[in-house]
Amino acid sequence: MAKLVFGMNQSLDGYVDLHPEMQVGPVLFRHWTEHVRALAASLYGRRMYETMRYWDEDDPAWDAARRDFAMAWRKQPKWVFSRSLKSVGPNATLVAGDLAAMVRGLKARLAGEIAVSGPELAQSLTELGLIDEYRLYFHPVVLGRGMPFFAGPRPPLRLMASEPVGEGVIRLSYVPA
């Protein structure tokens, strides 16, 4: 059975918005590339999927690390949960039906880790009790605004691990208490 993991970069005050102060350095970028490469699948909400579609098209300005990430991301099977999208890109499946049944089926069918991408999707899955682990990647910045990591009430959590992952970032791993 697969494990559902929600993890994102965020500021010290809990916001996940893309922001110049939260640039990912080479060590953390390599960490994310290896993470994506090792996943069994990824689940996306519409907004996060539209942001990540950037990696579907080659950019001649990319360095080797960005090309490597793009290749890992493109190979990754993706399920996109949206009521407004009409289509999705390569290696992605659009899902508009029963979120709980679909995710339970994927967890039963796949082995390894399934990434949850997007705070709103994560909140829906949290409310259904389906997320097995939360990984908070804290950057040493305070934004004061943006999209919070927890889009709703924070579930009771138990700390499992803490680990520095490069460029002043620390990852805290929690499981539901």
Side-chain angles (χ1 to χ4, degrees), residues 97-129:
D98 184 347
L99 174 67
M102 179 67 188
V103 173
R104 283 187 181 105
L106 284 174
K107 283 181 77 169
R109 198 169 77 238
L110 299 175
E113 288 188 0
I114 300 172
V116 175
S117 297
E120 291 173 349
L121 176 60
Q123 183 60 37
S124 296
L125 295 169
T126 294
E127 290 168 1
L128 293 167

Side-chain angles (χ1 to χ4, degrees), residues 58-75:
D58 287 330
D59 183 334
W62 285 346
D63 60 12
R66 275 149 186 74
R67 285 191 299 276
D68 191 30
F69 180 87
M71 293 306 298
W73 190 81
R74 290 172 191 168
K75 290 179 183 176

Side-chain angles (χ1 to χ4, degrees), residues 74-116:
R74 290 172 191 168
K75 290 179 183 176
Q76 186 63 63
K78 297 170 259 318
W79 280 265
V80 182
F81 295 86
S82 173
R83 289 182 287 276
S84 60
L85 289 176
K86 301 297 181 219
S87 65
V88 291
N91 210 17
T93 303
L94 183 59
V95 181
D98 184 347
L99 174 67
M102 179 67 188
V103 173
R104 283 187 181 105
L106 284 174
K107 283 181 77 169
R109 198 169 77 238
L110 299 175
E113 288 188 0
I114 300 172
V116 175

Side-chain angles (χ1 to χ4, degrees), residues 111-166:
E113 288 188 0
I114 300 172
V116 175
S117 297
E120 291 173 349
L121 176 60
Q123 183 60 37
S124 296
L125 295 169
T126 294
E127 290 168 1
L128 293 167
L130 293 174
I131 295 187
D132 300 299
E133 186 175 335
Y134 298 84
R135 294 182 186 153
L136 294 76
Y137 290 79
F138 284 104
H139 289 248
V141 298
V142 175
L143 298 178
R145 62 177 166 45
M147 172 67 77
F149 180 88
F150 291 103
R154 182 182 60 81
L157 300 172
R158 182 169 44 90
L159 180 65
M160 293 300 294
S162 62
E163 168 188 19
V165 289

